[in-house]
């Protein structure tokens, strides 16, 4: 194998800047997806039929079509949907957020259903209103149990974010690819990109474990 | 304090309560006993509308809780409930279990809520457990915390749904002691229980339910020494 990383040293700062872009997309999309996931999961367990239906249709659409298609529909479709062309960066956050909201809602729903029904009764018997009960009593217990599944979702979000390359967002992936094109050699910069993604995921995993330990204090 | 008029509860075709009427006066301690499946837990759970009555009326402090317009949440603040399986909030410490509802529902300040909570923990003998999480407690301790949690809302009525049925035998006594001293404070209490000795000693009245019907309603001495109905006689024979 004929590897020469030295010629890419000058391009390293350029590639590394992509970390910030990727991180921004992942964090913002993650927050959006999480908030959306909570709302949708509450819709799904609601006794109001129309809310169940809305959340189910939403999930079925976003799980049932490719993410790269959703990304392109939102990016290229924006002039027709909202009347002007949105930034690739915005389209990336939107599509990833909306997409992971569908997955996260299922994770949270499972978590809520796994909390003992008695917890809800105990809160009701104390006169705690539904919103506070969910927020203070049910969701914290649900989140503790689903933390590993949520970490999975955020990890795959981090890796899958590489497809924003297709609409021209300057993330790690696209920068590595460009550096490869400039030097007529793709293998090394792509290996560098791979290493960066891997290290990001490892960091995320460690953070997740620390968070889980913190939440397991009460055990 | 609680007035129940012709209470019915059906689960689909199954009739669990078949028209129960009775009154629980202020300061009265009522033991609700009967064989499993007699509807006694459902009866109790109707009183704070954890179960929705199918028909009939329940008045708690003159408020009709079966009326859609009544703010059930408000009524529940005055009706404490203790469950067979405790249902303490596992992610909160003992103290936080006691202060949560007074702070979030009644709007007490943290200081006020903690003052009440610590007094109650002393009453149930668990002051030193204030900062522990519930998983670190024994069953009896958990139930005492659960009683204190319900009392922290300073209710007028306490409902107990088989509070000692999930406990190891050696822990039953400590919970019954707490309930006994609570009864002596003049608290209105409705207790679903299998502890016949306790019912006899502490209750002012015994309600005997069988098959969703209130078969007997009598003072404990009368009920335990001279039950009128055949069903109660059989039941008591099996219990002894």
């Amino acid at each position: 194998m004929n590897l020469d990383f030295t010629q890419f040293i000058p391009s390293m700062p350029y590639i590394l800047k992509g970390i910030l872009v990727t991180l921004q997309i992942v964090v913002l999309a993650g927050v959006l997806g999480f908030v959306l996931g909570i709302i949708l999961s509450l819709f799904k367990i609601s006794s109001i039929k129309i809310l169940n239906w809305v959340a189910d249709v939403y999930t079925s659409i976003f799980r049932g079509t490719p993410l790269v298609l959703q990304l392109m529909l939102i990016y290229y479709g924006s002039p027709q949907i909202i009347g002007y062309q949105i930034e690739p960066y915005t389209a990336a956050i939107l599509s990833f957020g909306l997409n992971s909201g569908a997955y996260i809602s299922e994770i949270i729903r499972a978590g809520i259903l796994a909390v003992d029904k008695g917890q809800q009764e105990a809160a009701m018997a104390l006169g705690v209103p539904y919103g506070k009960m969910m927020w203070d009593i049910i969701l914290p217990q649900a989140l503790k149990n689903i933390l590993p599944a949520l970490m999975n979702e955020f990890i795959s979000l981090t890796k899958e974010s590489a497809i924003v390359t297709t609409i021209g967002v300057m993330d790690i992936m696209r920068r590595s690819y460009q550096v490869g094109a400039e030097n007529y050699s793709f293998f090394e910069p792509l290996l560098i990109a791979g290493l960066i993604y891997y290290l990001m995921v490892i960091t995320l995993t460690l953070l997740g474990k620390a968070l889980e330990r913190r939440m397991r204090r009460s055990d | 304090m609680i007035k129940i008029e012709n209470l019915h509860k059906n689960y689909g075709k199954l009739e669990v309560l078949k028209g129960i009427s009775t009154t629980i006066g202020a300061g009265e301690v009522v033991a609700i006993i009967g064989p499993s499946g007699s509807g006694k837990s459902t009866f109790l759970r109707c009183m704070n509308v954890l179960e929705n009555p199918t028909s009939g009326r329940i008045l708690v402090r003159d408020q009709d809780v079966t009326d859609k317009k009544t703010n059930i949440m408000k009524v529940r603040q005055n009706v404490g409930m203790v469950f067979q399986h405790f249902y303490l909030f596992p992610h909160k410490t003992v103290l936080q279990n006691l202060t949560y509802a007074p702070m979030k529902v009644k709007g007490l300040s943290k200081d006020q809520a903690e003052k009440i909570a610590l007094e109650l923990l002393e009453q149930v003998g668990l002051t030193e457990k204030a900062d522990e999480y519930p998983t670190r407690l024994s069953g009896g301790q958990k139930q005492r915390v659960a009683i204190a949690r319900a009392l922290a809302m300073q209710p007028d009525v306490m409902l107990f749904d088989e509070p000692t049925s999930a406990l190891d035998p050696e822990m039953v006594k400590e919970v019954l002691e707490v309930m006994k001293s609570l009864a002596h404070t003049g608290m209105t209490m409705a207790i679903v229980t299998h502890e016949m000795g306790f019912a006899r000693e502490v209750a002012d009245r015994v309600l005997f339910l069988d098959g969703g019907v209130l078969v007997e309603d009598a003072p404990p001495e009368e009920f335990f020494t001279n039950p009128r109905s055949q069903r109660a006689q059989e039941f008591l024979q099996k219990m002894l």
Side-chain angles (χ1 to χ4, degrees):
Chain A
M1 232 180 340
N2 200 356
L3 288 174
D4 176 15
F5 283 100
T6 51
Q7 56 170 320
F8 295 102
I9 290 172
S11 307
M12 278 311 284
Y14 180 72
I15 295 179
L16 288 175
K17 264 187 207 152
I19 294 178
L20 221 59
V21 177
T22 297
L23 267 183
Q24 270 172 357
I25 291 173
V26 170
V27 169
L28 291 176
V31 170
L32 176 62
F34 188 59
V35 172
L36 205 57
I38 291 180
I39 295 169
L40 287 170
S41 66
L42 292 178
F43 276 22
K44 285 176 185 175
I45 59 164
S46 159
S47 54
I48 304 167
K49 283 278 171 299
I50 182 83
L51 294 183
N52 304 156
W53 185 82
V54 167
D56 283 345
V57 169
Y58 181 96
T59 305
S60 130
I61 290 172
F62 277 91
R63 277 203 311 199
T65 56
L67 177 54
V68 65
L69 176 80
Q70 293 162 22
L71 177 69
M72 289 191 176
L73 279 175
I74 288 174
Y75 180 58
Y76 295 113
S78 68
Q80 276 144 291
I81 304 169
I82 53 168
Y84 63 94
Q85 180 60 53
I86 57 176
E87 295 293 316
Y89 177 72
T90 317
I93 292 166
L94 264 180
S95 57
F96 279 92
L98 295 177
N99 181 274
S100 70
Y103 286 90
I104 291 175
S105 73
E106 278 298 281
I107 299 173
I108 295 178
R109 183 177 72 92
I112 291 173
L113 293 181
V115 175
D116 194 325
K117 196 112 178 63
Q119 291 291 314
Q120 187 169 344
E121 289 191 345
M124 278 163 70
L126 287 165
V128 180
Y130 184 83
K132 283 181 183 163
M133 172 190 81
M134 272 297 163
W135 191 253
D136 295 329
I137 306 296
I138 308 296
L139 280 175
Q141 295 183 53
L143 285 183
K144 190 170 102 176
N145 294 330
I146 58 175
L147 204 60
L150 279 180
M151 281 317 290
N152 261 348
E153 179 58 25
F154 287 125
I155 285 170
S156 77
L157 192 61
T158 307
K159 291 181 301 170
E160 296 303 315
S161 74
I163 64 165
V164 299
T165 293
T166 56
I167 57 166
V169 175
M170 300 297 282
D171 70 329
I172 300 166
M173 185 69 196
R174 186 163 183 86
R175 285 164 191 258
S176 312
Y177 185 78
Q178 282 180 338
V179 168
E182 276 164 21
N183 295 278
Y184 307 106
S185 173
F186 288 96
F187 192 44
E188 293 92 341
L190 289 179
L191 280 178
I192 292 169
L195 181 68
I196 295 174
Y197 279 114
Y198 185 68
L199 290 177
M200 283 173 77
V201 168
I202 295 293
T203 312
L204 209 53
T205 310
L206 291 176
L207 283 176
K209 285 204 170 127
L211 191 61
E212 198 172 330
R213 263 200 307 278
R214 220 183 105 80
M215 292 186 90
R216 296 221 169 268
R217 267 183 323 184
S218 58
D219 288 356
Chain B
M1 187 65 82
I2 302 182
K3 193 171 163 63
I4 295 138
E5 292 171 0
N6 199 20
L7 174 67
H8 285 262
K9 173 69 187 175
N10 303 347
Y11 291 110
K13 277 195 182 141
L14 183 69
E15 250 189 304
V16 185
L17 299 178
K18 300 171 184 165
I20 294 183
S21 301
T22 190
T23 305
I24 300 173
E28 211 175 9
V29 177
V30 175
I32 302 163
I33 63 176
S36 347
S38 59
K40 51 194 191 304
S41 277
T42 309
F43 177 49
L44 190 79
R45 290 161 58 86
C46 281
M47 292 185 203
N48 65 350
V49 209
L50 283 184
E51 302 287 348
N52 252 317
T54 307
S55 69
R57 292 211 312 161
I58 299 173
L59 302 167
V60 178
R61 295 206 316 174
D62 294 327
Q63 278 198 294
D64 185 355
V65 297
T66 53
D67 186 344
K68 288 266 182 296
K69 279 174 283 196
T70 305
N71 185 350
I72 301 294
M73 287 300 171
K74 203 85 193 155
V75 176
R76 283 183 183 142
Q77 292 176 29
N78 284 314
V79 182
M81 179 139 188
V82 175
F83 299 88
Q84 183 178 358
H85 296 288
F86 333 122
Y87 300 141
L88 295 179
F89 305 134
H91 59 302
K92 294 186 179 294
T93 64
V94 166
L95 189 67
Q96 288 165 350
N97 263 278
L98 266 65
T99 56
Y100 173 72
M103 284 166 66
K104 288 296 177 95
V105 180
K106 282 171 94 180
L108 294 194
S109 71
K110 193 161 182 255
D111 287 348
Q112 287 171 309
E114 283 186 352
K115 187 167 169 283
I116 296 171
L118 288 170
E119 275 168 21
L120 285 167
L121 281 181
E122 202 186 323
Q123 252 181 57
V124 299
L126 290 169
T127 309
E128 77 282 10
K129 301 287 183 190
D131 296 320
E132 297 275 12
Y133 284 97
T135 38
R136 301 280 303 273
L137 304 180
S138 72
Q141 291 171 335
K142 280 182 194 167
Q143 196 59 299
R144 279 145 67 198
V145 172
I147 293 171
R149 177 177 68 177
L151 288 174
M153 287 295 281
Q154 301 179 312
D156 301 318
V157 189
M158 286 284 285
L159 310 176
F160 293 84
D161 190 3
E162 301 198 27
T164 58
S165 297
L167 298 178
D168 290 337
E170 74 266 27
M171 291 171 182
V172 170
K173 198 171 163 234
E174 62 187 64
V175 172
L176 293 182
E177 286 301 323
V178 167
M179 291 169 63
K180 209 183 290 176
S181 58
L182 185 61
H184 289 318
T185 65
M187 175 65 77
T188 310
M189 296 162 74
I191 308 161
V192 171
T193 185
H194 293 292
E195 297 291 331
M196 295 304 142
F198 174 78
R200 188 169 188 163
E201 188 189 335
V202 179
D204 300 313
R205 255 165 71 209
V206 173
L207 305 185
F208 177 72
L209 262 67
D210 185 41
V213 178
L214 180 55
V215 180
E216 291 206 34
D217 178 348
E221 272 320 302
E222 190 183 320
F223 176 78
F224 285 107
T225 49
N226 192 14
R228 274 168 288 142
S229 66
Q230 180 87 29
R231 271 307 283 133
Q233 285 164 18
E234 285 168 15
F235 175 75
L236 286 173
Q237 254 159 29
K238 277 185 209 145
M239 295 301 291
L240 298 171

